[in-house]
Amino acid sequence: MTDTENERTRSGRRPGRSGAKDAILAVARTRFAHSGFDKTSIRAIATEAGVDAALVHHYFGTKRELFVAAIAIPTDPTTVLRPVLAADRQDLGKALVTAIMAVWDSEHGEAVVAAFRSLIAEGDTTLIGSFLMEVVLREIAARVDEPTGSAPVRAGLVASQMSGLLLTRHILKVEPIASMPTEQVIASIAPTLQRYLTGPLP
Amino acid sequence: MTDTENERTRSGRRPGRSGAKDAILAVARTRFAHSGFDKTSIRAIATEAGVDAALVHHYFGTKRELFVAAIAIPTDPTTVLRPVLAADRQDLGKALVTAIMAVWDSEHGEAVVAAFRSLIAEGDTTLIGSFLMEVVLREIAARVDEPTGSAPVRAGLVASQMSGLLLTRHILKVEPIASMPTEQVIASIAPTLQRYLTGPLP
């Protein structure tokens, strides 16, 4: 299996079935973003996507798993994370904040923000944890596990900064962070992520 | 007017009237934390505190202003911020994260967390902004305004880290951040705040 195929499997996509799956994901993103996790049903998503509810479960498993697939992977993760995976070790911080902010600023950004906000409101903390750790940071954790076993702490510290940046910039819209040019945010935050990823830990 | 008196006025407390005001604040903290902003009424707070609703308005102004007073100042702000105001410039980052985490870990921490969460859910972003900027960071902004005019950016960057720390540690409970010893969190985060407060800006 090539890396690309492996990535697709992990993201819940399988080559050749993309029509129905993409339709389900598109509907799920919109519904979850507008109605939140609890008030969105698999049945409603299936109906709007023109498929049977059983097919949604077959492709995505539980509603939680569909939610993660829908909000965590708004675009092909290999595309989003490719610059991070390709970055030199000393550039990881800048590459990661750049990649994440590109998603927020993309056409999917609004859905990501709304979904994140509804998760906080509904207290589905397990899901956020798995979203941050399993999906966003999984790919790079192996590169920053020095000393061995430190990767979870490093990823958690990154999550503490990036979740707060999402909060202040896109949800709470705290000025001047909300209106700051992307390049200035990246330059401000990158050294923080770099230290969390590769710097000494207490 | 002494600094202490000035502080008390700013925090909404006046010497000699502390009985009714403290009762109102105590009830407001509990109600806001459990029911959120929208579902908590001034009338209900007044009734439970054994005072007239007009007295609540007289002391605290609008419901929003009462909310800020109740959640933003869980203890005497001069006590909480004293170590920060007394800290050497090169120790500001550690002093600030230490002071803020002490509030989260205090008896008032649960109410602060619940209130913050309900604000996010209800989208009352103006209030959060004023809470972060006017109350928490106001005292130290003057010390970090170098070059002149940079304080709001510095305060915003601090807010981006500390709001995310509150989120990952106390609301989303992302491990290993949620269970990390306070001293380890302080040592990890302090250099970030120090750079945001006194370091070069892009």
Side-chain angles (χ1 to χ4, degrees), chain A residues 81 84-85 96 100 129-144 151-160 162 193 197, chain B residues 174:
Chain A
L81 290 178
V84 182
L85 297 172
L96 184 57
I100 294 173
S130 58
F131 167 63
L132 291 171
M133 294 307 184
E134 301 295 327
V135 182
V136 177
L137 300 170
R138 174 180 187 160
E139 298 289 339
I140 61 164
R143 293 194 58 187
V144 297
V153 169
R154 296 183 184 284
L157 290 170
V158 168
S160 81
M162 294 309 293
L193 296 201
L197 290 170
Chain B
V174 174

Side-chain angles (χ1 to χ4, degrees), chain A residues 168-181:
Chain A
T168 48
R169 184 168 168 88
H170 291 287
I171 297 178
L172 305 180
K173 300 190 197 307
V174 174
E175 294 296 355
I177 301 298
S179 304
M180 192 180 282

Side-chain angles (χ1 to χ4, degrees), chain A residues 1-2 4 35 42 53 60 85 87 103-104 126 152 154 157 159 188 194 198:
Chain A
M1 184 178 275
T2 67
T4 302
S35 307
I42 289 278
F60 294 100
L85 297 172
V103 174
W104 297 347
T126 309
R154 296 183 184 284
L157 290 170
S188 301
Q194 187 67 39
T198 65

Side-chain angles (χ1 to χ4, degrees), chain B residues 6-17:
Chain B
N6 185 44
E7 199 56 52
R8 283 184 180 165
T9 302
R10 193 182 299 152
S11 76
R13 300 182 191 178
R14 292 184 190 86
R17 299 181 185 177

Side-chain angles (χ1 to χ4, degrees), chain B residues 179-202:
Chain B
S179 304
M180 191 179 282
T182 300
E183 284 306 314
Q184 189 182 346
V185 176
I186 291 172
S188 301
I189 301 293
T192 298
L193 296 201
Q194 187 66 40
R195 186 171 65 80
Y196 291 162
L197 289 170
T198 65
L201 294 173

Side-chain angles (χ1 to χ4, degrees), chain A residues 3-180:
Chain A
D3 280 354
T4 302
E5 282 167 345
N6 185 46
E7 198 57 51
R8 283 184 180 167
T9 301
R10 191 182 300 150
S11 76
R13 299 183 190 178
R14 292 184 190 88
R17 300 181 184 177
S18 61
K21 296 197 77 167
D22 285 353
I24 293 165
L25 284 173
V27 171
R29 265 177 215 123
T30 307
R31 292 245 169 186
F32 282 132
H34 283 99
S35 307
F37 183 77
D38 284 348
K39 293 178 186 160
T40 300
S41 72
I42 289 278
R43 187 162 300 277
I45 291 169
T47 302
E48 190 173 331
V51 302
D52 192 85
L55 192 70
V56 178
H57 287 297
H58 173 72
Y59 281 156
F60 294 100
T62 65
K63 188 169 88 168
R64 284 180 182 236
E65 289 168 331
L66 173 60
F67 186 101
V68 171
I71 72 160
I73 308 169
T75 58
D76 185 339
T78 58
T79 304
V80 172
L81 290 178
R82 189 176 295 136
V84 182
L85 297 172
D88 289 337
R89 189 174 155 80
Q90 71 270 21
D91 298 327
L92 275 177
K94 182 174 182 183
L96 184 57
V97 63
T98 302
I100 294 173
M101 291 190 70
V103 174
W104 297 347
D105 290 341
S106 76
E107 58 180 323
H108 306 290
E110 201 174 328
V112 170
V113 169
F116 187 72
R117 184 168 168 170
S118 73
L119 277 187
I120 295 170
E122 289 159 13
D124 200 336
T125 60
T126 309
L127 198 58
I128 287 260
S130 58
F131 167 63
L132 291 171
M133 294 307 184
E134 301 295 327
V135 182
V136 177
L137 300 170
R138 174 180 187 160
E139 298 289 339
I140 61 164
R143 293 194 58 187
V144 297
D145 195 32
E146 296 178 18
T148 302
S150 69
V153 169
R154 296 183 184 284
L157 290 170
V158 168
S160 81
Q161 172 64 82
M162 294 309 293
S163 64
L165 182 61
L166 183 66
L167 202 57
T168 48
R169 184 168 168 88
H170 291 287
I171 297 178
L172 305 180
K173 300 190 197 307
V174 174
E175 294 296 355
I177 301 298
S179 304
M180 192 180 282

Side-chain angles (χ1 to χ4, degrees), chain B residues 4-193:
Chain B
T4 301
E5 284 169 345
N6 185 44
E7 199 56 52
R8 283 184 180 165
T9 302
R10 193 182 299 152
S11 76
R13 300 182 191 178
R14 292 184 190 86
R17 299 181 185 177
S18 61
K21 297 195 78 166
D22 285 353
I24 293 166
L25 283 174
V27 171
R29 267 177 212 123
T30 307
R31 292 246 168 188
F32 282 133
H34 284 98
S35 308
F37 183 77
D38 283 347
K39 292 175 186 161
T40 299
S41 73
I42 289 277
R43 185 162 301 277
I45 290 169
T47 301
E48 190 173 330
V51 302
D52 193 85
L55 192 69
V56 178
H57 288 297
H58 174 71
Y59 281 157
F60 295 100
T62 65
K63 189 167 86 167
R64 286 179 179 236
E65 289 167 330
L66 174 59
F67 186 102
V68 170
I71 72 159
I73 307 169
T75 58
D76 186 337
T78 57
T79 304
V80 173
L81 290 178
R82 188 176 297 133
V84 183
L85 297 172
D88 288 338
R89 188 174 156 79
Q90 71 270 21
D91 299 327
L92 275 178
K94 182 175 182 183
L96 184 57
V97 64
T98 301
I100 293 173
M101 290 190 72
V103 174
W104 297 347
D105 290 342
S106 77
E107 58 182 322
H108 306 291
E110 200 173 330
V112 171
V113 169
F116 188 71
R117 185 168 167 168
S118 74
L119 277 187
I120 295 170
E122 289 159 13
D124 199 336
T125 60
T126 310
L127 198 56
I128 289 260
S130 58
F131 167 63
L132 291 171
M133 295 306 185
E134 300 295 327
V135 181
V136 177
L137 300 170
R138 173 181 187 161
E139 298 288 338
I140 62 164
R143 293 194 59 189
V144 298
D145 195 34
E146 298 177 16
T148 302
S150 69
V153 169
R154 297 184 183 284
L157 290 171
V158 168
S160 81
Q161 173 63 80
M162 293 309 293
S163 64
L165 182 61
L166 183 67
L167 201 58
T168 48
R169 185 168 168 87
H170 292 287
I171 297 178
L172 305 181
K173 299 190 197 308
V174 174
E175 294 295 355
I177 301 298
S179 304
M180 191 179 282
T182 300
E183 284 306 314
Q184 189 182 346
V185 176
I186 291 172
S188 301
I189 301 293
T192 298
L193 296 201

